[in-house]
Amino acid sequence: MSAVADKSVDRISRRQIDKFTERRDQLAEAALHTLSELGYARTSLREIAQNSEFSHGVLHYYFRDKVDLITHCVKFYKARCVTRYDDVVATAQTPEELEAGFGAAMTATLREEGTMHRLWYDLRVQSMFEESFRADVAEIDKSLENMIWRIVTRYAELQGSEPTVSSSVMYALFDGLFQQSLLAYLSGDEDAANTLALKVKTVLLRVIPA
């Protein structure tokens, strides 16, 4: 086979892979609502098919099983979610702007996408029992830790200071705050989102002093 033919086959192969990945993303987006409402334990591929425009057979073609679908859904959502916070890092020019932007992003995420994050916490708990989830959960966790660290290091830069705790500790702090606020919000606490924004500012000021 000639070099030109090799390149042509390679382009076709890449195009097929891209189309397959794009289709998986479309299916994941369609499945997210059902998954976030019902959670891991109460959701099956058949249940998802019944609540979407896609057949059970189509879902089985693109995903090996429920584990494959759920992990792809959460990865897809979290990758999209991260961009909201990266925009805060890119646009903030003062510590006050970053405090406000980070707090607003956390508040908006809680109010608008709380059920999606509930699915993430469900998946993370399930990984303690099901080994098949662990590698993907660890990968997602690391991407979220890196996202938080980008915010924190930018804030420290704007403050002319240095963080007083490590990346993993910082992530644990903000993740814990968000999970606590999410539970309160889903339980009917209307002040949970505003309280979260205040707590975000408090933590930033404590761990990155001016």
Side-chain angles (χ1 to χ4, degrees), residues 7 9 22 27 33-36 41 49 55 66 70 74 78 81 100 102 111 117 123 134 170-171 178 184 194 201 203:
K7 289 181 180 179
V9 169
E22 182 180 349
L27 291 168
H33 177 72
T34 301
L35 285 167
S36 63
S55 70
K66 183 172 76 168
I70 290 177
V74 174
K78 286 296 187 181
C81 181
F102 186 25
R111 285 180 172 145
H117 283 272
L123 179 63
R134 288 175 192 165
M170 192 70 74
Y171 174 51
F178 187 86
N194 292 331
K201 181 177 180 178
V203 170

Side-chain angles (χ1 to χ4, degrees), residues 9-25:
V9 169
D10 187 46
R11 281 197 300 272
I12 293 171
S13 178
R14 284 200 304 272
R15 196 157 58 238
Q16 289 173 335
I17 291 171
D18 290 343
K19 285 182 177 179
F20 186 82
T21 301
E22 182 180 349
R23 187 61 165 164
R24 276 168 62 92
D25 288 347

Side-chain angles (χ1 to χ4, degrees), residues 108-173:
T109 300
L110 187 70
R111 285 180 172 145
E112 299 167 14
E113 300 170 345
T115 55
M116 299 298 183
H117 283 272
R118 179 174 62 183
L119 174 63
W120 158 239
Y121 288 121
D122 189 11
L123 179 63
R124 193 158 70 176
V125 170
Q126 289 298 326
S127 72
M128 296 181 185
F129 301 94
E130 297 200 32
E131 188 176 354
S132 56
F133 282 132
R134 288 175 192 165
D136 290 307
V137 165
E139 181 184 338
I140 295 168
D141 251 334
K142 192 61 183 176
S143 72
L144 295 174
E145 179 183 330
N146 291 340
M147 176 197 79
I148 293 296
W149 194 240
R150 287 193 293 274
I151 292 169
V152 167
T153 52
R154 175 57 177 161
Y155 185 76
E157 181 184 349
L158 292 170
Q159 285 276 48
S161 183
E162 294 288 338
T164 58
V165 299
S166 68
S167 173
S168 60
V169 171
M170 192 70 74
Y171 174 51
L173 285 170

Side-chain angles (χ1 to χ4, degrees), residues 8-134:
S8 178
V9 169
D10 187 46
R11 281 197 300 272
I12 293 171
S13 178
R14 284 200 304 272
R15 196 157 58 238
Q16 289 173 335
I17 291 171
D18 290 343
K19 285 182 177 179
F20 186 82
T21 301
E22 182 180 349
R23 187 61 165 164
R24 276 168 62 92
D25 288 347
Q26 290 173 350
L27 291 168
E29 191 157 21
L32 269 171
H33 177 72
T34 301
L35 285 167
S36 63
E37 287 297 324
L38 298 180
Y40 169 77
R42 293 192 295 154
T43 307
S44 66
L45 288 183
R46 193 171 300 280
E47 184 84 33
I48 293 167
Q50 290 173 352
N51 286 277
S52 74
E53 61 186 286
F54 304 105
S55 70
H56 185 239
V58 168
L59 290 175
H60 255 305
Y61 177 77
Y62 284 95
F63 299 98
R64 293 187 305 275
D65 50 26
K66 183 172 76 168
V67 171
D68 188 24
L69 173 59
I70 290 177
T71 53
H72 188 82
C73 282
V74 174
K75 278 184 174 181
F76 173 77
Y77 168 69
K78 286 296 187 181
R80 189 174 61 187
C81 181
V82 163
T83 61
R84 171 183 289 175
Y85 293 87
D86 284 345
D87 286 345
V88 173
V89 174
T91 57
Q93 298 299 313
T94 66
E96 293 75 21
E97 286 182 3
L98 197 146
E99 285 170 16
F102 186 25
M106 291 273 272
T107 298
T109 300
L110 187 70
R111 285 180 172 145
E112 299 167 14
E113 300 170 345
T115 55
M116 299 298 183
H117 283 272
R118 179 174 62 183
L119 174 63
W120 158 239
Y121 288 121
D122 189 11
L123 179 63
R124 193 158 70 176
V125 170
Q126 289 298 326
S127 72
M128 296 181 185
F129 301 94
E130 297 200 32
E131 188 176 354
S132 56
F133 282 132
R134 288 175 192 165

